[in-house]
Amino acid sequence: MTRKIYSKILLKPTILTPVTDISTRVTLFNDPNHTLPCPIMIAPTAFHALATPQGEVATARGAMNAEVAYCWNFRFSSRTMDDIKEAAPTGVKWLHLYLNENPELMEEILRYAEKSKLFTAVIVTCDHPHDRVKDRTVPDMSHYNEEVGSSRQNNKFITNYDVFLQKNPRFTPRSTDIPDPQGSFIWSHLRHIVQSTSLPVVAKGIISPSDAVLAVQCGCKGVVVSNHGGRQIGGVVPAIVALRDVIAAVGGRNGGIDVWLDSGVREGTDIIKALALGAKGVLVGRPALWGLIWEGEKGVEKAMKILKDNLKADMQSLGKRDISELDESVIWCVPKVMRREKKNSSTGNNSAKL
């Protein structure tokens, strides 16, 4: 459904307009010290060693060379934080975390990450109230090293999280389950992360505008509009459809809260459409993984450069020289599902206890 929605958002080109010196640089969190060369970030995904022996090291280097940001999965990375830092010391990187009931564990992870001086922000996945997806994949990974064939011995790995726990044996297995226990997380867990770090925190997995408001009330500097690729629950509204309502709920595109879009981005015009609707940037998952599988580090770099080059060319076709000029004036029309009127869509009715 997501791809169909993108195809029905039609753009309006402008011709014979001077469009040299294209700038895709964006400022984050209303802070000139937080910038990105372009509004593209590689989304947090797991077990990159399944794609190439170098795993997340290849992803990080590909992102660094392509000059796009990379959100690194602390829990399910097949390469350690030290590996990432050594291989890709420059380039913008964000830390990705899952919620956990053990506050001391989360505090220690954040201290560990801040000490590395590798990350400029933290993304927290919040739409994870059950283990349905994890139960279908992680058990298979636990047997991967034993079952991997001799032709792929170099792909054996131990996760970054396992290495972290080895260095911090005071945390028992029960205290480190993710999620732990199922369905127990509330907004105070997110607020605790915000209060435990000096880095800006961004809540990922927001679809409901009222949830976006609660995330901001917890101290988040941004939200990621995402339906987790449709993997958490079927029949949910596509992120691109929910985007405008979420942006409106947190004060609009100039309201001071960065709103990112995750899910379904495959080409430059998808990025254009998200930014025109008010997104600060997009998270890209599968295209980066396809590049990783194809040619490792070079494949990631090539895939991201294709997106960047297409973004610039599409801006030129629309008569825009700066990324800040993209707004709904470049959109000819949107599909009916995005035009329907909704009462109280900006805040909704959420009585969740903060």
Side-chain angles (χ1 to χ4, degrees):
M1 179 184 291
T2 294
R3 293 304 307 156
K4 289 182 179 180
I5 296 295
Y6 276 110
S7 70
K8 293 179 179 179
I9 301 173
L10 304 182
L11 297 174
K12 180 172 59 178
T14 297
I15 63 173
L16 299 180
T17 300
V19 282
T20 56
D21 301 321
I22 299 296
S23 174
T24 59
R25 182 166 292 276
V26 293
T27 299
L28 307 178
F29 313 123
N30 278 341
D31 184 349
N33 294 318
H34 283 273
T35 63
L36 294 177
C38 71
I40 302 171
M41 179 179 296
I42 295 179
T45 50
F47 305 129
H48 290 195
L50 295 177
T52 182
Q54 292 74 38
E56 286 77 6
V57 163
T59 310
R61 289 188 59 83
M64 177 181 69
N65 293 337
E67 295 187 300
V68 300
Y70 173 35
C71 187
W72 177 69
N73 189 323
F74 182 93
R75 174 63 179 89
F76 292 123
S77 173
S78 52
R79 293 294 177 261
T80 68
M81 185 185 299
D82 291 339
D83 293 337
I84 303 300
K85 184 174 182 179
E86 180 180 356
T90 62
V92 177
K93 298 175 186 65
W94 286 14
L95 175 70
H96 171 263
L97 297 176
Y98 294 94
L99 293 168
N100 188 280
E101 278 214 318
N102 187 330
E104 293 182 1
L105 173 67
M106 301 308 294
E107 291 166 8
E108 185 60 31
I109 290 174
L110 288 165
R111 280 194 294 267
Y112 182 49
E114 288 187 11
K115 186 178 179 180
S116 74
K117 299 187 183 302
L118 191 61
F119 306 102
T120 57
V122 179
I123 280 185
V124 183
T125 286
C126 299
D127 59 334
H128 210 300
H130 53 74
D131 279 347
R132 178 163 54 193
V133 174
K134 185 167 76 74
D135 284 345
R136 294 174 181 173
T137 56
V138 176
D140 293 336
M141 297 303 102
S142 67
H143 299 297
Y144 174 77
N145 286 340
E146 288 75 22
E147 297 176 357
V148 64
S150 59
S151 64
R152 294 179 66 82
Q153 287 296 310
N154 289 336
N155 286 53
K156 288 187 175 183
F157 61 84
I158 179 172
T159 69
N160 171 76
Y161 193 58
D162 293 331
V163 173
F164 172 80
L165 294 179
Q166 291 174 359
K167 294 179 179 179
N168 296 271
R170 69 183 183 278
F171 296 116
T172 65
R174 176 58 182 163
S175 72
T176 61
D177 289 347
I178 295 180
D180 170 30
Q182 294 186 42
S184 66
F185 300 118
I186 58 176
W187 290 100
S188 60
H189 291 100
L190 178 61
R191 181 189 288 118
H192 178 261
I193 291 178
V194 173
Q195 295 173 342
S196 299
T197 181
S198 60
L199 298 174
V201 175
V202 176
K204 181 176 180 288
I206 302 295
I207 286 292
S208 168
S210 57
D211 284 342
V213 172
L214 292 174
V216 173
Q217 291 175 358
C218 285
C220 290
K221 301 298 184 183
V223 298
V224 179
V225 182
S226 171
N227 63 9
H228 218 114
R231 299 168 69 207
Q232 294 299 90
I233 179 174
V236 70
V237 60
I240 187 68
V241 174
L243 179 63
R244 284 199 294 187
D245 287 343
V246 170
I247 292 172
V250 296
R253 68 171 69 220
N254 298 314
I257 301 299
D258 291 354
V259 179
W260 289 72
L261 176 77
D262 172 61
S263 297
V265 173
R266 300 289 183 270
E267 52 192 80
T269 51
D270 296 338
I271 303 171
I272 292 282
K273 293 168 185 178
L275 269 59
L277 292 170
K280 177 64 69 172
V282 298
L283 273 67
V284 178
R286 292 180 186 179
L289 293 177
W290 292 333
L292 188 68
I293 294 169
W294 172 53
E295 201 177 3
E297 170 190 329
K298 291 182 179 179
V300 173
E301 180 181 354
K302 179 64 173 178
M304 295 302 101
K305 283 185 175 179
I306 289 173
L307 283 178
K308 289 178 62 178
D309 290 344
N310 285 344
L311 171 62
K312 290 180 179 179
D314 293 332
M315 288 176 61
Q316 289 175 307
S317 292
L318 295 169
K320 304 299 182 183
R321 289 184 292 185
D322 192 280
I323 208 79
S324 63
E325 298 174 7
L326 292 174
D327 56 26
E328 293 198 25
S329 67
V330 304
I331 295 178
W332 187 281
C333 64
V334 297
K336 185 177 180 180
V337 70
M338 297 178 66
R339 298 197 300 267
R340 74 188 192 284
E341 294 185 4
K342 297 179 290 183
K343 295 181 180 180
N344 300 322
S345 63
S346 62
T347 57
N349 180 22
N350 194 325
S351 59
K353 184 176 180 181
L354 292 176

